[in-house]
Structures are given as C-alpha cells and as structure tokens.
Amino acid sequence: MAEAIYFMQDGKKYNLYDLPRDFIINTDVNLSKLGLTKLPNLSNVVVNGDFNCSHNNLRDLEGAPRVVNGDFWCGSNKLTSLYGGPKIVVGWFNCDNNNLQNLNYSPVFVDGEFDCSCNQLTDLYNQNKHIGGNFICNHNKLKTLKNMPTNIGVGIDCCNNELISLIGAPEFTTGFFLCAHNKLQTLRYAPRIVNGHFNCSDNQLKSLKYSPRIVGNGLNCCSNLLTDFRYAPKVLKGSILIFENPFKEDVQKILQRYKRNHAR
C-alpha cells in the first residue's frame, strides 16, 4: 500500500489515499518531488486550489482530480500520455518537459495558460474547447500547426519546432504570435491580425508575403533571407527588428521609408 499523504482541512486530518467519493479539497495539493510513479486516486475529487504533481516519475495522470479550480502542474515527469488528467482547469495547465507525442486526453476547459512546451509533440490534436490564456508549444517536433486549438484567448508561442508551414494557425490573435527558430520558407497561413508581438526570426524566409496585415506590438524578422521589405504589415505598432538579412539596401533607409509611407 502506498505511503499515506496527509493534509489538514477544517481542523481534521485527511489521507489523500483514503478520501470519500465527491470530496472537495479546499486547499492547494502539492505532490511535487515525492518520487511518485502513480497518483493517489482522486478521480472523483474536486480541488479548490492548485494541484502540483510535477517533478516525479509519472507516465500518465491516472488518478488526477477531474476538476481543479486553480492551476494544474504536471511538468518534469516521464509522461507519455495525459490519460486520466483533469477535464476542467480554472487556472493554468502545465505539462512541459515530458515525453508527450500528442495531446490526447488534454483538458476540455483551461481558463489560464496551456503550456505543453519541451515535449516530443508531432501533432496538436486535442479535446480542448477553451483556452483562456496563452498556448505555449515551443521546443517540440511540430512540422505544421494542424489541429491547434481554435479558441485560444491570448497569444501563441510555437518557436523552436521543425515548422515548414503555419497551416492550422488562427486568423486572429489577441496576444503575441511567435514562430521563430523554425524552417519556414513562407508565412502563408500566418494570422491576418496579431494584436501583440509578431516574431518570425531565424527562419528561411525570402519574403514577408502573407505576413499579418496588422501587428499591434512590434515585428521581429531578423536572421532570415529577406532582400526587401515588401509585404510588411500595413499597420505596425511598436519596434521593428529586421537585422541580419541580405537586404539590397541599407536597413535604416528601409525603415525610414517604411515609417514615412505608413505615417498617419
């Protein structure tokens, strides 16, 4: 039998391995760095706080609470599947630094940030119906953004993948869109409107054709193969970084002309 894990609530001492069905935990649950290979069976429990099972040896999330009214942290395990994970997370859902190849069994509802960075993802297929915050999928093995959640509340970070196409990206983001350090040769399928920062640096772009028409907080297209600044966003607020490209003319002249032509 697993070693007991106790917590106090309402002046009483409870064991996580021996809770009644439909029990409500009104505090944070911290199971990080305990060497766990399996979670206690909390599948019929609601946690009104954060649930942290990061930095263990878990391979799946069987036993996790179905509802977490705070953040859910399961990063830095040995997860190959999200099976058994929560269905509803009112805060952040963080499963970074694992061995996930897909997002099957991911939560249906995450009202905060969804971070699945630093895995082995080759596909973004998921069951998610709502992400209220950013969607972070950097440092994976994605070649496209097919099956990306379509209901992301803020920004998207898909840097440091193996992207050759942005197909699957949304047409609009209220936050940033970061696709730097990939293998992109075209911006086709990029969002048409990015209200935050747009970063497509360190790719293989020879043109900004298909770049967003509106960028609300800066553009970075450094370290590509650009020879001119045609097809740059029509509306661009914030800083413009275009260095380390083989432009046919001086960068400052390009920027001055762009700003002059787009001055209001």
Side-chain angles (χ1 to χ4, degrees), residues 51-72:
F51 187 91
N52 186 350
C53 59
S54 62
H55 297 276
N56 281 294
N57 297 309
L58 301 173
R59 296 187 182 276
D60 61 43
L61 295 175
E62 187 173 7
R66 285 294 178 265
V67 177
V68 176
N69 288 313
D71 299 336
F72 184 92

Side-chain angles (χ1 to χ4, degrees), residues 83 120 252:
Y83 176 77
Q120 306 294 319
Q252 294 303 324

Side-chain angles (χ1 to χ4, degrees), residues 128-162:
N128 195 275
K129 304 297 183 184
H130 171 84
I131 295 174
N134 300 316
F135 182 71
I136 311 297
C137 59
N138 60 49
H139 291 87
N140 278 288
K141 295 184 177 181
L142 300 170
K143 295 185 182 298
T144 77
L145 298 178
K146 287 182 179 180
N147 298 317
M148 173 175 279
T150 57
N151 41 20
I152 297 168
V154 190
I156 296 169
D157 181 354
C158 53
C159 296
N160 295 94
N161 274 280
E162 300 172 7

Side-chain angles (χ1 to χ4, degrees), residues 41-101:
N41 186 6
L42 303 175
S43 57
N44 294 306
V45 168
V46 173
V47 175
N48 286 334
D50 298 339
F51 187 91
N52 186 350
C53 59
S54 62
H55 297 276
N56 281 294
N57 297 309
L58 301 173
R59 296 187 182 276
D60 61 43
L61 295 175
E62 187 173 7
R66 285 294 178 265
V67 177
V68 176
N69 288 313
D71 299 336
F72 184 92
W73 302 87
C74 59
S76 300
N77 274 283
K78 298 179 180 179
L79 296 176
T80 58
S81 172
L82 295 176
Y83 176 77
K87 297 302 181 185
I88 297 175
V89 177
V90 176
W92 287 23
F93 180 80
N94 186 308
C95 58
D96 68 339
N97 288 287
N98 279 291
N99 299 314
L100 298 170
Q101 295 184 12

Side-chain angles (χ1 to χ4, degrees), residues 204-244:
Q204 301 167 21
L205 300 171
K206 295 181 179 180
S207 169
L208 290 178
K209 190 175 183 179
Y210 304 115
S211 66
R213 296 298 81 196
I214 299 175
V215 173
N217 190 24
L219 168 70
N220 184 345
C221 56
C222 295
S223 300
N224 277 286
L225 303 173
L226 302 174
T227 57
D228 60 54
F229 204 49
R230 288 185 303 163
Y231 306 112
K234 296 293 184 182
V235 177
L236 174 53
K237 299 179 181 179
S239 61
I240 304 175
L241 300 175
I242 61 174
F243 301 104
E244 298 184 28

